[in-house]
Amino acid sequence: MNIRLFEEKDKEAYMELATQMYSSEACIHGPNKEAFEGNFAGAIDKKNSYCIGLMLEEEGKPIGYCLISQSWASEFGKRMNFIEEIYFVKESRGKGYVHQVFDWIFTHYNKEDCVFRLEVAPENKEVMEIYKKYGFEDLEYLQMVKLK
């Protein structure tokens, strides 16, 4: 598998992959094209250090993506890399690719300088077990959001 930063040419593939992800059981909300547009624009903007987009490919074909946002974690007094989304098409699951994604992330962002955080739907037990293998632990927080 090849992992690389988003490029302008990846927009259509990202939009399709994100639509698939948000149409799946892994997400509470359905697809939101406006959000996808903003995510992609942020990820390819060289001046934006808050949003990173990774295209995941197999033999040159997009098979998934990963979005990472960066901020500060005051709880830990360190920079935070929030792994917003990791998605693989069904045919590419179970091949150990998530291991390669985490290796890429942990290599590119020094583990000593930052913390890593991610979200998972409580119903997605299989994915939770995968994340725990990489050292992620449950947080006993309930998150809240204000959309408007």
Side-chain angles (χ1 to χ4, degrees):
M1 181 181 67
N2 182 47
I3 301 172
R4 62 173 177 76
L5 295 174
F6 276 5
E7 298 173 7
E8 190 73 48
K9 68 180 182 176
D10 298 320
K11 185 173 182 179
E12 185 177 323
Y14 162 70
M15 298 291 280
E16 174 59 31
L17 292 165
T19 298
Q20 289 175 25
M21 177 170 158
Y22 277 85
S23 298
S24 76
E25 69 285 345
C27 296
I28 296 169
H29 305 286
N32 180 339
K33 185 178 179 189
E34 187 176 310
F36 301 162
E37 293 276 353
N39 294 341
F40 190 79
I44 63 168
D45 181 353
K46 302 291 185 223
K47 296 176 188 171
N48 178 358
S49 63
Y50 299 107
C51 181
I52 295 100
L54 303 177
M55 185 57 63
L56 314 174
E57 299 173 317
E58 187 175 61
E59 298 178 7
K61 178 184 172 194
I63 59 165
Y65 72 95
C66 178
L67 292 178
I68 304 163
S69 62
Q70 296 184 320
S71 65
W72 191 259
S74 59
E75 182 175 2
F76 303 103
K78 294 182 177 187
R79 186 169 44 99
M80 180 173 60
N81 289 297
F82 196 109
I83 303 165
E84 297 274 354
E85 299 174 9
I86 300 175
Y87 177 75
F88 288 98
V89 295
K90 287 184 181 183
E91 307 82 54
S92 296
R93 296 177 193 162
K95 295 184 176 183
Y97 288 158
V98 75
H99 176 75
Q100 292 178 48
V101 172
F102 282 129
D103 278 352
W104 191 98
I105 293 169
F106 298 154
T107 298
H108 284 80
Y109 304 103
N110 185 339
K111 290 187 229 179
E112 305 305 316
D113 289 348
C114 62
V115 296
F116 299 92
R117 196 169 185 163
L118 51 75
E119 289 179 339
V120 61
E123 300 81 24
N124 208 342
K125 302 279 187 220
E126 183 179 341
V127 170
M128 289 172 77
E129 292 306 313
I130 292 170
Y131 294 158
K132 286 179 181 180
K133 289 178 184 177
Y134 294 96
F136 289 91
E137 301 173 8
D138 293 342
L139 285 175
E140 298 299 323
Y141 293 118
L142 174 66
Q143 289 194 345
M144 299 173 70
V145 65
K146 182 178 186 305
L147 298 174
K148 294 186 182 204

